[in-house]
Amino acid sequence: MADQASVRPAETGSVQSVQRQALRASVLLVGTMMGGLLIFNSYLAEWLYPNRPFHSDLSAALGAILLGVPLMWSSVVSLLRGDMRMDILAALAILAAFAQQEYQLAGVVAFFMIISNLIETRTALGARASIESLIRMTPTVASRLKPDGKEEQADARSLRAGDIVRVRPGDNIPADGIVIDGVSSVNQATITGESLPADKQNDDEVFSGTTNLTGVLDVRVTRAGRDTTLGRVQQLILQAEQTKAPIMRLIDRYVGWYAPTILMIAGIVLFFTRDTERVIAMIVLAVPAALILATPTAVVAALSCSARMGILIKNVADLERARNLTSVVFDKTGTLTTGELSVTRIMPAPGIDGAELLRVAGGLEQMSRHPVARAIVEVARRAKLELPGASGVEEVSGRGVRGTLADGTVAAVGRSTWLADEGADMSVLDDENFHEPEGLSTLYVVASGKCLGWIGLEDRTRPEARQAIDGLREQGIKNLVMVTGDRWSVARRVAREMGCSEVKAEVLPQDKLDLVDQLQRKGHTVCVVGDGVNDAPALTAGDLGIAMGAAGSDVAINSASIALMTSDLRRLPFLIRLSRATTRTIWQNLLFGILFIVVAMTLAGMGVLGPMAAAVLHTFAATVVIFNSARLVRFGEEFQPAGAAAESGTDAPADTGTQPVTAAV
């Protein structure tokens, strides 16, 4: 991929910049933890040595200095730039606390402010990590065919359109291209999201980064490097990431006039009363500790709650954004469905027992590693069937498998067209009751030249997914879209089961990104939920990206702003409830803090409250805010995990539109 090499220096520079930011954040975090320990030690010393306050004051002062210096420096830089930020309010609070020798208060305010900054300014670095993951996924070596037909090992980056590469079973395809020779099954879920491997033969298109499963393919390269589908995914992630705008915190909008206003009011009181104690009390009460703690304490409590519920929130701004969602876009495979094939229906021919149908199919398929074969063998073993041995088993890539069972019966399992071409009697298909239903992948079983019936496989929906979608509707989100690279017949079936308002099928990564863009242009706040590489651009472009962390790819998780650490989709409506509860708590804290400052400063200006009472009330106000925020830690305790079926991973009862597996066996 020569083209890819040309963009790597820029990507490397971006990654190095991110690494420097991460290093600075790590150093700041270490200093914050050390300062926090000193503040804690001061409280401990105060309790152990009540008659020796020097020990407590010294530890508190050192901790406050260690915590306060970064904020003071940040405030100076902001002032020099003419940028009034929250750090300046924190600096004012720390200075006022130092003036009153309230070192513990100064340290606590500084500690929470730094933690708040570390949380809220954590940038979405996932796109860079996604690029690195994608680069690692791309093959570095390719088997290129010379004009004389001999193979040579070549650097995948050197491939050009027109080159012919040979891809063996288990290899990743090094470039986009067209199959010119060979038949195989290709796992291309990383690109299209299809749950079933795609059968490939002459003139079929294959994608870079997908995995060849069974046969040998000769592929003529059509696109290499950054021009491949996988390369475009890389570019789309970067482009989508660059479209995100930072969110300004509400209090930052008004911080510019707060300090001047307080100083002006204090100056007026001093001019008319000449009472310095009143002014000192007013300044102590005006230190916005309650306002400073209003947001970070609520956020920390909400993050603790979300972690307990298995929700990893990487950027706190996204916690606030979740409450405003109006549209949710779901990937199908691995998100609404389990991503694992299972046998859900069988249709034995008249006079054929269902167990015999599974026994013949399992006897042949137990020799194959194909995902479809594993699903058939698994259901046969769960039915406690004794599978016969088989000899002369031949796997015809993309068509089926044939061989001779231990009792001498010649059998085959595969597509109906292939079996008919092999001379099998498929006349049973003439019965309209025997037609395969929409939305299933079907395999036909033949023994001694006669069709015994068919076996239907599907990617089952998650048991709790419908509950999650119903919960989203209850939260007021009506636009629920399912998007997949799978076939329309499968997509429509899943969409009906889930109750989605809209469905898009047979789409590629760029199509998913276009869908997100269209919804955003219509005014929707879009949440994208997915788990695969093909979801990464859409996850990054959405206003909110949620990755299925239990089984999701690293690329999807890095690209998303939120990861579900379990596969329980009911966390989604819970997340919205938590977001709205957090916002309510923050507003409660802010309104209380503002009301407290207005009332307390008025009383101090009237001489009702002295400096000592002001210090006590100031601490009380901060405590009220902290305890109000702490309620969020226990939010959602009534939320129950998925049922036993979801937890154990067992399948739900099969749809009995034809003959369910258990009944047939």
Side-chain angles (χ1 to χ4, degrees), residues 27-39 59-72 94 98 106-107 110-111 114:
V27 172
L28 181 59
L29 181 61
V30 171
T32 302
M33 293 299 102
M34 293 175 62
L37 287 174
L38 287 170
I39 297 299
S59 182
L62 291 175
I65 292 172
L66 184 60
L67 293 166
V69 166
L71 292 174
M72 295 295 181
I94 294 168
F98 262 103
F111 178 83
I114 292 176

Short mmCIF file of all heavy atoms in Angstrom, two decimals, residues 27-39 59-72 94 98 106-107 110-111 114:
data_model
loop_
_atom_site.label_atom_id
_atom_site.label_comp_id
_atom_site.label_asym_id
_atom_site.label_seq_id
_atom_site.Cartn_x
_atom_site.Cartn_y
_atom_site.Cartn_z
N VAL A 27 0.83 13.16 34.20
CA VAL A 27 1.61 13.88 35.22
C VAL A 27 0.69 14.68 36.13
O VAL A 27 0.85 14.70 37.37
CB VAL A 27 2.65 14.79 34.55
CG1 VAL A 27 3.34 15.68 35.58
CG2 VAL A 27 3.69 13.96 33.80
N LEU A 28 -0.30 15.36 35.52
CA LEU A 28 -1.24 16.15 36.31
C LEU A 28 -2.05 15.25 37.24
O LEU A 28 -2.31 15.61 38.40
CB LEU A 28 -2.18 16.92 35.38
CG LEU A 28 -3.22 17.83 36.06
CD1 LEU A 28 -2.53 18.87 36.94
CD2 LEU A 28 -4.10 18.50 35.01
N LEU A 29 -2.42 14.07 36.76
CA LEU A 29 -3.20 13.15 37.58
C LEU A 29 -2.39 12.66 38.78
O LEU A 29 -2.90 12.59 39.90
CB LEU A 29 -3.66 11.97 36.74
CG LEU A 29 -4.52 10.92 37.45
CD1 LEU A 29 -5.80 11.56 37.98
CD2 LEU A 29 -4.85 9.77 36.51
N VAL A 30 -1.09 12.36 38.55
CA VAL A 30 -0.24 11.92 39.64
C VAL A 30 -0.11 13.01 40.70
O VAL A 30 -0.22 12.78 41.91
CB VAL A 30 1.16 11.51 39.12
CG1 VAL A 30 2.12 11.27 40.28
CG2 VAL A 30 1.06 10.25 38.26
N GLY A 31 0.14 14.26 40.24
CA GLY A 31 0.24 15.38 41.18
C GLY A 31 -1.05 15.60 41.94
O GLY A 31 -1.04 15.91 43.13
N THR A 32 -2.19 15.41 41.24
CA THR A 32 -3.49 15.58 41.90
C THR A 32 -3.70 14.53 42.98
O THR A 32 -4.19 14.84 44.07
CB THR A 32 -4.61 15.50 40.85
OG1 THR A 32 -4.40 16.49 39.84
CG2 THR A 32 -5.97 15.70 41.49
N MET A 33 -3.33 13.30 42.70
CA MET A 33 -3.48 12.24 43.69
C MET A 33 -2.59 12.50 44.92
O MET A 33 -3.00 12.29 46.06
CB MET A 33 -3.13 10.89 43.07
CG MET A 33 -4.10 10.41 42.00
SD MET A 33 -5.80 10.19 42.59
CE MET A 33 -6.58 11.69 41.96
N MET A 34 -1.37 12.98 44.68
CA MET A 34 -0.47 13.29 45.79
C MET A 34 -1.04 14.42 46.64
O MET A 34 -1.03 14.37 47.88
CB MET A 34 0.92 13.65 45.25
CG MET A 34 1.65 12.49 44.60
SD MET A 34 3.22 13.00 43.85
CE MET A 34 4.10 13.59 45.31
N GLY A 35 -1.53 15.46 45.97
CA GLY A 35 -2.14 16.57 46.70
C GLY A 35 -3.36 16.13 47.48
O GLY A 35 -3.58 16.55 48.63
N GLY A 36 -4.18 15.26 46.86
CA GLY A 36 -5.35 14.75 47.55
C GLY A 36 -4.99 13.96 48.79
O GLY A 36 -5.67 14.06 49.82
N LEU A 37 -3.90 13.18 48.72
CA LEU A 37 -3.45 12.42 49.89
C LEU A 37 -3.01 13.36 51.01
O LEU A 37 -3.25 13.09 52.20
CB LEU A 37 -2.32 11.49 49.50
CG LEU A 37 -2.72 10.26 48.67
CD1 LEU A 37 -1.48 9.49 48.22
CD2 LEU A 37 -3.63 9.34 49.48
N LEU A 38 -2.36 14.47 50.65
CA LEU A 38 -1.93 15.43 51.68
C LEU A 38 -3.13 16.08 52.36
O LEU A 38 -3.13 16.29 53.58
CB LEU A 38 -1.03 16.50 51.05
CG LEU A 38 0.38 16.04 50.67
CD1 LEU A 38 1.09 17.10 49.84
CD2 LEU A 38 1.19 15.73 51.93
N ILE A 39 -4.16 16.40 51.58
CA ILE A 39 -5.37 16.99 52.17
C ILE A 39 -6.04 15.98 53.09
O ILE A 39 -6.47 16.31 54.21
CB ILE A 39 -6.34 17.44 51.06
CG1 ILE A 39 -5.72 18.55 50.21
CG2 ILE A 39 -7.65 17.93 51.67
CD1 ILE A 39 -5.37 19.80 50.97
N SER A 59 0.22 19.96 56.44
CA SER A 59 -0.15 19.01 55.40
C SER A 59 -1.17 19.60 54.44
O SER A 59 -1.07 19.44 53.22
CB SER A 59 -0.71 17.74 56.04
OG SER A 59 -1.03 16.78 55.06
N ALA A 60 -2.16 20.33 55.00
CA ALA A 60 -3.18 20.95 54.15
C ALA A 60 -2.57 22.02 53.26
O ALA A 60 -2.93 22.14 52.07
CB ALA A 60 -4.29 21.54 55.01
N ALA A 61 -1.66 22.83 53.81
CA ALA A 61 -1.04 23.89 53.02
C ALA A 61 -0.21 23.31 51.88
O ALA A 61 -0.27 23.80 50.73
CB ALA A 61 -0.16 24.77 53.92
N LEU A 62 0.57 22.25 52.17
CA LEU A 62 1.37 21.63 51.12
C LEU A 62 0.47 21.03 50.03
O LEU A 62 0.75 21.17 48.83
CB LEU A 62 2.26 20.54 51.72
CG LEU A 62 3.41 21.02 52.62
CD1 LEU A 62 4.13 19.83 53.24
CD2 LEU A 62 4.39 21.89 51.84
N GLY A 63 -0.60 20.37 50.47
CA GLY A 63 -1.53 19.79 49.50
C GLY A 63 -2.20 20.86 48.66
O GLY A 63 -2.35 20.72 47.45
N ALA A 64 -2.62 21.95 49.32
CA ALA A 64 -3.28 23.03 48.60
C ALA A 64 -2.34 23.69 47.60
O ALA A 64 -2.74 24.06 46.49
CB ALA A 64 -3.82 24.06 49.58
N ILE A 65 -1.07 23.84 47.96
CA ILE A 65 -0.09 24.42 47.03
C ILE A 65 0.13 23.50 45.84
O ILE A 65 0.13 23.94 44.68
CB ILE A 65 1.25 24.70 47.76
CG1 ILE A 65 1.07 25.82 48.79
CG2 ILE A 65 2.35 25.05 46.76
CD1 ILE A 65 2.28 26.03 49.68
N LEU A 66 0.29 22.19 46.12
CA LEU A 66 0.51 21.23 45.04
C LEU A 66 -0.68 21.18 44.09
O LEU A 66 -0.52 21.09 42.87
CB LEU A 66 0.76 19.84 45.65
CG LEU A 66 1.12 18.72 44.66
CD1 LEU A 66 2.40 19.06 43.91
CD2 LEU A 66 1.28 17.40 45.41
N LEU A 67 -1.87 21.28 44.64
CA LEU A 67 -3.07 21.25 43.80
C LEU A 67 -3.36 22.60 43.15
O LEU A 67 -3.89 22.66 42.04
CB LEU A 67 -4.28 20.82 44.64
CG LEU A 67 -4.26 19.38 45.16
CD1 LEU A 67 -5.32 19.20 46.24
CD2 LEU A 67 -4.51 18.40 44.02
N GLY A 68 -3.03 23.66 43.87
CA GLY A 68 -3.40 24.98 43.39
C GLY A 68 -2.49 25.54 42.33
O GLY A 68 -2.93 26.35 41.49
N VAL A 69 -1.20 25.16 42.33
CA VAL A 69 -0.25 25.74 41.37
C VAL A 69 -0.70 25.52 39.92
O VAL A 69 -0.69 26.46 39.12
CB VAL A 69 1.17 25.18 41.61
CG1 VAL A 69 2.08 25.50 40.44
CG2 VAL A 69 1.73 25.76 42.90
N PRO A 70 -1.11 24.29 39.51
CA PRO A 70 -1.56 24.14 38.12
C PRO A 70 -2.75 25.03 37.77
O PRO A 70 -2.82 25.58 36.67
CB PRO A 70 -1.95 22.65 38.04
CG PRO A 70 -1.19 22.00 39.14
CD PRO A 70 -1.12 23.01 40.24
N LEU A 71 -3.67 25.18 38.71
CA LEU A 71 -4.82 26.04 38.44
C LEU A 71 -4.42 27.50 38.38
O LEU A 71 -4.93 28.26 37.54
CB LEU A 71 -5.88 25.82 39.52
CG LEU A 71 -6.56 24.45 39.52
CD1 LEU A 71 -7.48 24.31 40.71
CD2 LEU A 71 -7.36 24.27 38.23
N MET A 72 -3.52 27.92 39.27
CA MET A 72 -3.05 29.30 39.23
C MET A 72 -2.35 29.59 37.90
O MET A 72 -2.57 30.64 37.28
CB MET A 72 -2.08 29.56 40.40
CG MET A 72 -2.72 29.46 41.77
SD MET A 72 -3.96 30.75 42.04
CE MET A 72 -4.46 30.37 43.72
N ILE A 94 -9.49 29.60 45.75
CA ILE A 94 -8.29 29.15 46.46
C ILE A 94 -7.60 30.31 47.17
O ILE A 94 -7.19 30.20 48.34
CB ILE A 94 -7.33 28.45 45.48
CG1 ILE A 94 -7.98 27.16 44.95
CG2 ILE A 94 -6.00 28.12 46.15
CD1 ILE A 94 -7.26 26.56 43.78
N PHE A 98 -7.06 30.68 51.11
CA PHE A 98 -5.73 30.90 51.68
C PHE A 98 -5.73 32.15 52.56
O PHE A 98 -5.10 32.18 53.63
CB PHE A 98 -4.69 31.04 50.56
CG PHE A 98 -3.93 29.78 50.28
CD1 PHE A 98 -4.22 29.00 49.18
CD2 PHE A 98 -2.92 29.36 51.15
CE1 PHE A 98 -3.53 27.83 48.92
CE2 PHE A 98 -2.22 28.19 50.91
CZ PHE A 98 -2.52 27.42 49.79
N ALA A 106 -9.17 25.16 50.56
CA ALA A 106 -8.45 25.49 49.33
C ALA A 106 -8.04 24.21 48.60
O ALA A 106 -8.17 24.11 47.38
CB ALA A 106 -7.21 26.32 49.66
N GLY A 107 -7.55 23.22 49.34
CA GLY A 107 -7.13 21.97 48.72
C GLY A 107 -8.28 21.19 48.14
O GLY A 107 -8.18 20.63 47.04
N ALA A 110 -9.46 22.87 44.92
CA ALA A 110 -8.49 22.64 43.85
C ALA A 110 -8.55 21.20 43.36
O ALA A 110 -8.48 20.93 42.16
CB ALA A 110 -7.08 22.98 44.33
N PHE A 111 -8.67 20.25 44.31
CA PHE A 111 -8.71 18.83 43.94
C PHE A 111 -9.89 18.54 43.02
O PHE A 111 -9.74 17.93 41.96
CB PHE A 111 -8.79 17.98 45.20
CG PHE A 111 -8.90 16.50 44.95
CD1 PHE A 111 -7.76 15.75 44.69
CD2 PHE A 111 -10.13 15.86 44.96
CE1 PHE A 111 -7.85 14.39 44.45
CE2 PHE A 111 -10.23 14.51 44.72
CZ PHE A 111 -9.08 13.77 44.46
N ILE A 114 -9.49 20.15 39.49
CA ILE A 114 -8.57 19.45 38.59
C ILE A 114 -9.21 18.16 38.07
O ILE A 114 -9.10 17.84 36.88
CB ILE A 114 -7.23 19.16 39.30
CG1 ILE A 114 -6.48 20.47 39.58
CG2 ILE A 114 -6.36 18.24 38.45
CD1 ILE A 114 -5.20 20.28 40.35
#
